[in-house]
Amino acid sequence: MQRKIINIKVGSKNPVKINAATTAMAQLFPDSIIEVKGMDAPSGVAAQPMTDSETRQGAINRVHYCQQQDTQATKADYYFAMEGGVDNFDFGPATFAYIAIGHKDQLAIGRSAILPLPMQVYRALEAGEELGHVMDRLFNTINIKQKGGAIGLLTHGHATRESNYTQAIILAMAPLLNPDIYAQTC
């Protein structure tokens, strides 16, 4: 029996995001061959999104960009974008990511779990720095955003940026896995 090939384009060349897409889709479609390619896709938002809505828009913009760049010959089955951001909620500052998934004419949106941030980190972000750079300085690491991320550092490796993205992708796929149920209205 020949296994189905599922082609995915990720709106980033960051290996953490590419690996998360690969892992999530391999879990969802264990009998398929998952082929994932990353591409540079502009978010159209600040390098460090500082609100929930800006972060969400960045993920959507990246998916739309990937879809617009494709030709019939290079068309993917799914387009993924993961946009990390921060916001200051009632309970304090936190980081999270939005997931946008394009499939045919559908757009699925999801959000990852949130990670509370120390106030000193949030203040540095308000001053214009990016989370990865702040964490590198605070923990004396190099390019942590392409490794375990702030999540890995602040949880002592018990969770990572990739594991958070993987779970969020799986959850965001629910409407695409169950289109008939999600299409129903009350």
Side-chain angles (χ1 to χ4, degrees):
M1 178 186 204
Q2 190 169 352
R3 292 174 29 175
K4 179 182 177 187
I5 297 173
I6 299 175
N7 288 300
I8 300 164
K9 291 225 175 126
V10 175
S12 174
K13 289 188 176 178
N14 184 325
V16 169
K17 294 178 180 183
I18 292 168
N19 291 341
T22 304
T23 300
M25 292 301 275
Q27 288 179 35
L28 292 171
F29 301 100
D31 296 328
S32 297
I33 297 169
I34 309 300
E35 294 185 355
V36 181
K37 291 183 181 150
M39 65 182 286
D40 290 323
S43 68
V45 299
Q48 177 59 70
M50 293 298 291
T51 66
D52 185 87
S53 61
E54 183 182 22
T55 307
R56 181 178 183 273
Q57 191 60 54
I60 293 169
N61 291 347
R62 288 181 194 271
V63 162
H64 288 314
Y65 179 86
C66 291
Q67 290 172 315
Q68 292 164 358
Q69 299 308 303
D70 253 0
T71 65
Q72 195 59 38
T74 62
K75 198 158 190 66
D77 298 300
Y78 294 90
Y79 300 87
F80 284 15
M82 291 144 257
E83 186 73 25
V86 299
D87 206 336
N88 195 5
F89 299 98
D90 292 342
F91 54 84
T95 185
F96 51 88
Y98 265 97
I99 310 300
I101 304 170
H103 176 65
K104 298 179 182 172
D105 62 347
Q106 297 173 288
L107 179 66
I109 304 291
R111 194 174 94 172
S112 72
I114 62 169
L115 173 72
L117 288 175
M119 191 51 76
Q120 67 178 352
V121 171
Y122 184 71
R123 294 282 182 244
L125 301 177
E126 282 185 312
E129 293 187 65
E130 284 187 52
L131 182 59
H133 300 140
V134 175
M135 299 308 290
D136 280 341
R137 186 176 66 250
L138 191 62
F139 285 87
N140 198 28
T141 54
I142 298 170
N143 200 16
I144 197 63
K145 71 181 185 177
Q146 291 196 0
K147 299 172 188 163
I151 295 169
L153 292 172
L154 292 172
T155 66
H156 296 196
H158 292 282
T160 64
R161 190 174 189 207
E162 185 175 323
S163 68
N164 198 31
Y165 287 166
T166 299
Q167 179 190 50
I169 290 168
I170 291 169
L171 297 176
M173 283 290 294
L176 303 176
L177 297 171
N178 303 282
D180 294 340
I181 297 170
Y182 281 85
Q184 294 177 6
T185 58
C186 297

